[in-house]
Amino acid sequence: CPLGPALLFVKVGRGEEEGRRFYACSASRDRKDCNFFQWEDEKVSEARLAAREEYNRSHQPSFTHTQNVERYKNFVLLPLSKRRFCQECQQLLLPAEWEKHSSHQFLCGISTAQLRSPSQLLYPLENKKTNAQYLFADRSCRFLLDLVMSLGFKRVLSIGTPRLHEVIQSKASQEDDFGVRSLLLDIDFRYSQFYTEDEFCHYNMFNHYFFGGEAARETCRKFLHQDKGEGVIMVTDPPFGGLVEALASSFKKLMAMWKDTEEEGRNNQEVPMFWIFPYFFESRILEFFPTFSMLDYQVDYDNHALYKHGKTGRRQSPVRIFTNLSPGMIVLPAEEGYRFCAICQRYVSSGNQHCEICNSCTSKDGRQWKHCVLCKKCVKPSWFHCNKCNCCALEDHTCEKTDAGCFVCGKTGHKRSACPSLS
């Protein structure tokens, strides 16, 4: 489809042991955005293949990345009064194109500072599953960059983190002694208007697809291999509605690209990584990356109404940093209420109190959790032990779910994904 190779899914009906497999868009699970659908065993006619190729061609951007780089060079030579940006087409305009966009809304006098901050110039794409461009607030962006620098990293592979990338690029262009470089991999092709082929690759993180082909893949490979692969970290902020399994597969392929250097002894190593995602996906991430752990730092966003730092109770941002670096190496800011737990040997939020029974700082959401003797673990403060469910839950929960069986076999005690009936 226009977003690259499709992924293989399975459709399972109630009571069925085996579902029917089909291909669908890797990034967009909403049929309104991409209606690609094909049964795995379906024979596709030549006419339909030709129609699909034509559809994919018609959904390509107006300009190639190389053309956009040339256009940018011409744009920066224009006097301020002639620098225009079309808000409807989300495109930098050269004087010869003004007439074509005359009925559109546009911004005039685009400054160098605005060109260095394209994420503030472009409208965020807010489809939660495909793009979900919730952009880091300055606080989180500064923290991430300070952390990268304090840990001694020189290169950042920025996967879906345009604001972090532009802060690094901006500092590098203004400060001669600034030693950090960044390569942005992002599905939003609009960024190709502002960055060269060495600074930006059009990339789909759900299927590890480089739209620029082998040249773009080689750009990424060289970036990872520079300095014999030392001093590089991957930082990613995927859409929260995205499939963890598909994302993990792509990140492992990027790690494999990094391992493929002439350095020996890399087989069991992973590229240092920060994966920014909500805390309630912890078990899914650890399923694919057992070496990862979750930091207590709350990541917040400029354009998300709920994901803001400083709110209390359940209104706090649920977004955290998952990393394969030792948590003890990462200092969280004391002025924001983080403290060092001498027993756990890591920084935790002020509300995350050490549980003597679990021998751990157990809170995930910033509030103080309580220990349930019957569950043999700490739970949220608003939860109570339900004898019927034999676990802790909200006080006003319904116990009906205990009677609901597995989607495949109807028996209780397991979910469809773990059903013993599935081959």
Side-chain angles (χ1 to χ4, degrees):
C1 72
L3 293 173
L7 293 183
L8 186 61
F9 296 88
V10 63
K11 195 174 223 144
V12 182
R14 185 172 283 283
E16 291 178 15
E17 283 194 18
E18 287 186 27
R20 193 174 177 191
R21 285 142 67 105
F22 65 93
Y23 290 99
C25 178
S26 61
S28 177
R29 304 214 304 282
D30 191 332
R31 289 283 167 81
K32 289 180 211 157
D33 295 322
C34 182
N35 61 4
F36 185 98
F37 183 92
Q38 182 184 313
W39 293 111
E40 185 189 24
D41 53 6
E42 185 180 355
K43 292 279 189 289
V44 182
S45 68
E46 291 295 324
R48 192 169 152 205
L49 278 175
R52 185 180 288 167
E53 282 179 24
E54 180 53 40
Y55 177 82
N56 288 353
R57 261 196 305 272
S58 69
H59 281 71
Q60 294 310 306
S62 311
F63 300 101
T64 65
H65 195 166
T66 305
Q67 288 170 327
N68 273 337
V69 171
E70 281 304 310
R71 286 167 54 78
Y72 183 84
K73 286 177 185 173
N74 293 327
F75 188 86
V76 293
L77 295 174
L78 296 170
L80 207 59
S81 60
K82 292 195 173 181
R83 290 186 185 178
R84 292 186 180 181
F85 177 76
C86 179
Q87 290 181 291
E88 289 185 40
C89 301
Q90 294 285 282
Q91 187 179 310
L92 297 172
L93 298 180
L94 297 173
E97 299 158 346
W98 289 0
E99 183 61 34
K100 188 180 168 186
H101 297 260
S102 58
S103 61
H104 296 176
Q105 293 281 323
F106 51 80
L107 296 172
C108 297
I110 303 299
S111 66
T112 304
Q114 285 175 294
L115 292 173
R116 282 184 182 147
S117 305
S119 70
Q120 296 181 22
L121 196 59
L122 299 166
Y123 287 137
L125 304 172
E126 292 188 356
N127 177 314
K128 289 183 178 61
K129 292 175 182 171
T130 314
N131 298 294
Q133 281 181 326
Y134 297 124
L135 302 164
F136 292 144
D138 285 344
R139 162 193 166 268
S140 293
C141 210
R142 276 198 313 272
F143 169 76
L144 283 167
L145 181 54
D146 289 347
L147 186 55
V148 163
M149 292 171 68
S150 68
L151 292 169
F153 294 107
K154 300 295 181 187
R155 299 188 313 291
V156 181
L157 188 65
S158 305
I159 312 160
T161 57
R163 188 154 282 181
L164 177 64
H165 174 73
E166 72 186 31
V167 167
I168 293 171
Q169 292 294 106
S170 183
K171 278 183 170 288
S173 65
Q174 292 171 293
E175 302 172 21
D176 292 336
D177 59 345
F178 186 73
V180 182
R181 294 293 178 268
S182 172
L183 172 64
L184 176 64
L185 307 186
D186 204 288
I187 201 166
D188 187 353
F189 189 67
R190 298 176 301 172
Y191 285 106
S192 68
Q193 298 178 86
F194 304 90
Y195 301 121
T196 66
E197 288 99 330
D198 289 333
E199 297 166 336
F200 168 75
C201 294
H202 192 201
Y203 176 77
N204 182 346
M205 69 174 89
F206 291 102
N207 58 6
H208 187 57
Y209 182 65
F210 288 88
F211 293 83
E214 197 50 48
R217 185 184 292 275
E218 182 60 15
T219 296
C220 181
R221 195 190 69 81
K222 277 185 178 173
F223 186 82
L224 289 170
H225 286 201
Q226 199 178 318
D227 297 332
K228 297 182 179 178
E230 297 298 323
V232 66
I233 184 169
M234 286 165 47
V235 181
T236 185
D237 182 32
F240 302 150
L243 287 168
V244 172
E245 186 173 1
L247 293 166
S249 173
S250 294
F251 300 153
K252 284 182 178 181
K253 284 172 183 169
L254 287 169
M255 286 182 171
M257 195 185 280
W258 170 78
K259 279 183 190 176
D260 186 26
T261 61
E262 294 172 8
E263 291 295 294
E264 293 183 10
R266 281 250 162 92
N267 291 339
N268 299 319
Q269 280 187 290
E270 291 176 336
V271 191
M273 185 176 179
F274 292 149
W275 180 341
I276 293 151
F277 227 49
Y279 69 80
F280 36 81
F281 283 102
E282 182 181 23
S283 61
R284 290 291 287 150
I285 291 175
L286 296 185
E287 191 181 322
F288 298 104
F289 291 106
T291 59
F292 279 38
S293 54
M294 187 178 82
L295 306 179
D296 268 22
Y297 184 82
Q298 288 183 21
V299 179
D300 59 339
Y301 297 81
D302 266 353
N303 56 329
H304 197 295
L306 297 178
Y307 295 176
K308 299 282 188 191
H309 172 72
K311 294 192 175 184
T312 56
R314 295 183 66 197
R315 308 298 291 177
Q316 296 176 77
S317 171
V319 187
R320 302 289 184 268
I321 300 170
F322 293 87
T323 184
N324 49 5
L325 296 173
S326 167
M329 296 167 60
I330 297 166
V331 179
L332 304 186
E335 63 273 17
E336 291 181 15
Y338 298 101
R339 61 178 181 80
F340 187 75
C341 174
I343 306 170
C344 293
Q345 284 293 296
R346 69 182 183 102
Y347 280 82
V348 296
S349 63
S350 54
N352 192 357
Q353 297 300 311
H354 193 88
C355 173
E356 300 291 339
I357 304 166
C358 297
N359 195 27
S360 173
C361 292
T362 51
S363 170
K364 308 288 185 189
D365 63 6
R367 297 178 292 169
Q368 185 175 342
W369 285 20
K370 61 184 182 183
H371 191 86
C372 174
V373 179
L374 296 171
C375 289
K376 296 180 181 175
K377 65 178 183 180
C378 286
V379 297
K380 293 180 179 181
S382 54
W383 286 15
F384 296 89
H385 195 85
C386 171
N387 291 323
K388 186 174 179 184
C389 298
N390 197 28
C391 68
C392 285
L394 286 167
E395 200 166 16
D396 58 353
H397 79 287
T398 53
C399 298
E400 293 168 357
K401 67 176 182 181
T402 55
D403 303 324
C406 163
F407 192 68
V408 176
C409 67
K411 294 177 183 174
T412 56
H414 63 263
K415 292 183 179 178
R416 185 191 74 78
S417 59
C419 182
S421 303
L422 286 174
S423 56

